[in-house]
DNA sequence: GCTGTTAGCTATAGAAACTATAGCTTTTAC
DNA sequence: GTAAAAGCTATAGTTTCTATAGCTAACAGC
């Protein structure tokens, strides 16, 4: 049996976050000690590890909730789980593309300025005048 | 003089967001019509355009606030404005790198699964077992 | 000048995923 | 037995908006 602090250390999930997940019903309310403190077993350790891993990959809580439900039904087809992963992959790729456009724009801004006075600052000017942008964003 | 709706259409900033920026003091409280509706001039149009552009580039409100203050002092050196842009560029690059790691991991997960049953689903298995990951994330 | 539609007003709550605080109690190690 | 560390609940704050409710103003057509 693990205390909340031990669970936190083993999973890398912060204590208030564990309690938050309990409130959001991502994890079940665990047993309590005689003094009303939370006590966790291996089941919950594994489940929280799963959640942590999925969150690190940027999956949303609602997606994780669905994946956890799916994981609890091993006999069902896994097309849905794949769909969630594939969708997320799509949005990660979209975000990368978007950030790369911003990167180009910011690099142009930061490098185009010779650090003189504000009145000639290319950063400020670029922000004021969208026409200076090379691409859409 | 523009109504809030016209200002919104011209800048692409939604009406509640304009009011929110006013509350946050990013833009000054504008004149009012006799019936208490907001009326904007070109000054505010330009300022809101600047804010929109900066937000589209992912800059935080507090950074934008600082850039606006800098822009109001054309005689001052622009090293600070460059610093803000350069810092942001750094964090955009870091985020891209992080997302590319996730992308690799998710692609491996999604492609590794042959869409059978949950019990053999590579997506679910990968999330359960961090050891299956190729790299750190 | 009346009416109807569109636009705008304020104040408050909600979204997402936590994080921080206050004030109190339990556990644990010596 | 006691002191320090850990845990408890409940509530509010973070960030950048977005949505809702209930009301009022502006404007176009008749």
């Amino acid at each position: 049996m693990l205390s909340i602090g031990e669970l936190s250390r083993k999973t890398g999930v912060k204590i208030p976050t564990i309690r938050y997940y309990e409130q959001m019903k991502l994890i079940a309310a665990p047993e309590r000690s005689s003094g009303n403190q939370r006590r966790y077993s291996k089941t919950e350790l594994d489940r929280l590890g799963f959640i942590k891993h999925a969150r690190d990959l940027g999956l949303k809580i609602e997606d994780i909730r669905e994946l956890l439900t799916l994981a609890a039904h091993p006999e069902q087809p896994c097309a849905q789980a794949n769909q969630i992963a594939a969708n997320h992959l799509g949005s990660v790729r979209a975000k990368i593309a978007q950030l790369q456009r911003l990167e180009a724009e910011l690099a142009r801004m930061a490098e185009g300025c010779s650090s003189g006075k504000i009145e000639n600052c290319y950063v400020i000017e670029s922000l004021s005048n969208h026409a200076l942008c090379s691409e859409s964003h």
Side-chain angles (χ1 to χ4, degrees), chain A residues 62-120:
Chain A
E62 285 316 305
D63 286 338
I64 296 173
R65 199 190 297 282
E66 201 173 339
L67 287 170
L68 284 165
T69 308
L70 291 170
H73 298 283
E75 78 292 352
Q76 303 225 331
C78 76
Q80 214 177 336
N82 272 281
Q83 195 56 58
I84 292 172
N87 282 349
H88 186 55
L89 178 56
S91 70
V92 167
R93 285 182 170 152
K95 195 152 207 173
I96 288 172
Q98 156 81 352
L99 285 173
Q100 282 172 337
R101 266 176 272 128
L102 296 193
E103 185 196 4
E105 171 74 10
L106 282 164
R108 229 171 35 76
M109 275 169 56
E111 284 155 21
C113 193
S114 48
S115 278
K117 302 239 158 142
I118 287 284
E119 59 196 328
N120 303 315

Side-chain angles (χ1 to χ4, degrees), chain A residues 113-128:
Chain A
C113 193
S114 48
S115 278
K117 302 239 158 142
I118 287 284
E119 59 196 328
N120 303 315
C121 179
Y122 194 63
V123 170
I124 299 285
E125 213 172 319
S126 296
L127 288 170
S128 304

